[in-house]
Amino acid sequence: MTADRRQEPGAAYKHRSVLLDSAVDYLINDPDGCYVDGTFGRGGHSRLILGHLGEAGQLLGIDKDPEAIRVARELETRDHRFHCFHGSFAELDAAVTGQGWESVNGVLLDLGVSSPQLDDASRGFSFMRDGPLDMRMNTEQAPSAAQWLATAEETEIADVIFRYGEERFSRRIARLLVARRQETPIETTRQLAELVSEAVPKKEKHKHPATRTFQAIRIFINRELEDLEAGLRAAVDRLATGGRLVVISFHSLEDRLVKRFMRDLARGPQVPKGVPVTAEHEASDFRLVGKASKAGADEVSDNVRARSAVMRVLERTDIRNNSQGSA
């Protein structure tokens, strides 16, 4: 999500959000418009967006994480153009309505877990640091990863690890986990990482064997793909003509979903074979802007997590509405 490292409150952030400048350049089309940063994080994108907005411009920051919202509220007190909403970007429609906005000029979604979340052992996102097995982006909601793993059926655990982690040894992992939890509760990241390492018979070069399992459980616990589907639909429904949806993904499941969603909208309504095609059928209210972008070598060298980042941009054109209006 971002490349920021955890800092003390009020301290400067040494690292920049991934694809920061290019994402904001694509997003802003009217300095006096209304924009949504659907994944505020620690405010890397939001601060740059505000730097590009005029006095009349407005920005709404959304985040699930109470820690992120604490930072957002500090920014809200310092800049009258900024507003924050504690929740998921799946609730974008309600958040925008709460501001009294009919439409927005742009929406930015920087997906996945943020570096501050990964770097904080108490959040339980990373197998690199021992801590409680939590993994919740919103710590005010239940269940945590440990709570779910303590009660879920073996088949459900295996299905989650396979579906969201694409882990081919998901059944072996689930079987060992269920057997082991009868002896000792699985409550820490180290316990889970060691258990997965024991269950996986073949190790991938340069990849920790627990990588896919941790990703899968995190995605499931936070309903990340369900929220992404809902957030994408809400975003395009609120885009004004010329408005853009900018999405940065960090793993293949997210990117495939975003790519398919944007591609289908840009193609426009599809009609069955043999049905006469009219100009109205051919037209689409959206277009893809450029090709998928990736982080440059400098960003990757500064933050290794940037190597998997992919950015896609969709713009509302309202071709059909414009053509009907000019007829």
Side-chain angles (χ1 to χ4, degrees):
M1 192 174 180
T2 69
D4 299 334
R5 297 196 183 280
R6 188 170 178 82
Q7 303 284 332
E8 292 302 318
Y13 293 94
K14 296 181 179 179
H15 293 265
R16 295 162 65 81
S17 301
V18 175
L19 294 165
L20 176 63
D21 294 308
S22 54
V24 175
D25 286 343
Y26 274 118
L27 183 73
I28 304 295
N29 59 70
D30 178 0
D32 291 326
C34 296
Y35 296 87
V36 177
D37 180 354
T39 45
F40 178 81
R42 294 303 182 268
H45 285 110
S46 282
R47 291 184 181 88
L48 188 58
I49 292 169
L50 289 168
H52 283 66
L53 295 185
E55 185 63 21
Q58 299 287 310
L59 174 62
L60 173 64
I62 300 174
D63 209 288
K64 294 179 178 181
D65 191 336
E67 277 296 299
I69 291 300
R70 181 185 62 79
V71 177
R73 285 176 178 150
E74 292 176 358
L75 179 58
E76 191 174 35
T77 63
R78 297 196 304 270
D79 195 322
H80 69 275
R81 302 170 302 167
F82 180 77
H83 320 275
C84 66
F85 177 88
H86 184 199
S88 168
F89 53 67
E91 303 170 82
L92 186 145
D93 186 68
V96 169
T97 298
Q99 295 301 316
W101 301 346
E102 291 294 328
S103 61
V104 297
N105 298 87
V107 176
L108 171 65
L109 301 179
D110 184 14
L111 305 176
V113 63
S114 69
S115 289
Q117 290 168 331
L118 283 170
D119 292 340
D120 185 349
S122 70
R123 302 300 298 273
F125 286 106
S126 175
F127 49 79
M128 302 300 291
R129 296 168 177 80
D130 191 28
L133 191 58
D134 193 313
M135 293 196 190
R136 292 172 296 170
M137 292 180 179
N138 186 349
T139 53
E140 297 174 2
Q141 293 182 344
S144 67
Q147 290 169 333
W148 176 69
L149 288 172
T151 59
E153 297 289 336
E154 180 180 324
T155 53
E156 182 184 13
I157 295 171
D159 288 346
V160 165
I161 295 173
F162 181 77
R163 179 182 178 188
Y164 297 122
E166 300 177 303
E167 171 58 74
R168 57 181 176 146
F169 299 113
S170 60
R171 292 188 181 184
R172 293 175 65 109
I173 295 168
R175 189 180 310 120
L176 181 59
L177 194 153
V178 170
R180 190 66 54 79
R181 77 186 184 189
Q182 295 176 4
E183 305 168 5
T184 307
I186 310 301
E187 297 178 335
T188 71
T189 55
R190 178 174 295 169
Q191 283 179 292
L192 180 60
E194 291 177 349
L195 184 150
V196 174
S197 295
E198 182 180 340
V200 173
K202 295 181 180 180
K203 309 298 190 288
E204 294 181 62
K205 192 174 182 180
H206 305 308
K207 179 176 280 191
H208 193 288
T211 300
R212 298 180 188 277
T213 297
F214 269 68
Q215 172 187 295
I217 294 173
R218 188 205 83 217
I219 289 173
F220 172 77
I221 289 295
N222 294 289
R223 296 179 49 84
E224 291 181 39
L225 296 186
E226 293 88 344
D227 278 9
L228 178 55
E229 290 180 340
L232 291 172
R233 290 193 298 269
V236 297
D237 285 346
R238 286 289 189 159
L239 281 181
T241 301
R244 288 179 172 180
L245 170 62
V246 180
V247 184
I248 303 171
S249 306
F250 283 82
H251 63 72
S252 59
L253 290 176
E254 293 172 339
D255 186 53
R256 282 201 296 267
L257 195 159
V258 173
K259 179 181 180 180
R260 188 180 305 117
F261 178 85
M262 291 186 174
R263 179 201 63 199
D264 290 348
L265 279 180
R267 281 179 176 176
Q270 301 297 297
V271 296
K273 291 183 179 180
V275 175
V277 178
T278 65
E280 181 177 352
H281 284 135
E282 292 175 344
S284 170
D285 289 339
F286 299 89
R287 73 178 184 96
L288 299 175
V289 180
K291 297 181 178 180
S293 304
K294 295 189 176 184
D298 290 343
E299 281 194 88
V300 174
S301 64
D302 182 59
N303 174 26
V304 69
R305 294 166 187 158
R307 66 187 174 189
S308 58
V310 179
M311 181 173 66
R312 299 183 186 274
V313 183
L314 182 76
E315 179 180 288
R316 176 181 283 279
T317 59
D318 280 350
I319 292 174
R320 285 181 293 172
N321 289 341
N322 292 340
S323 62
Q324 291 169 359
S326 61

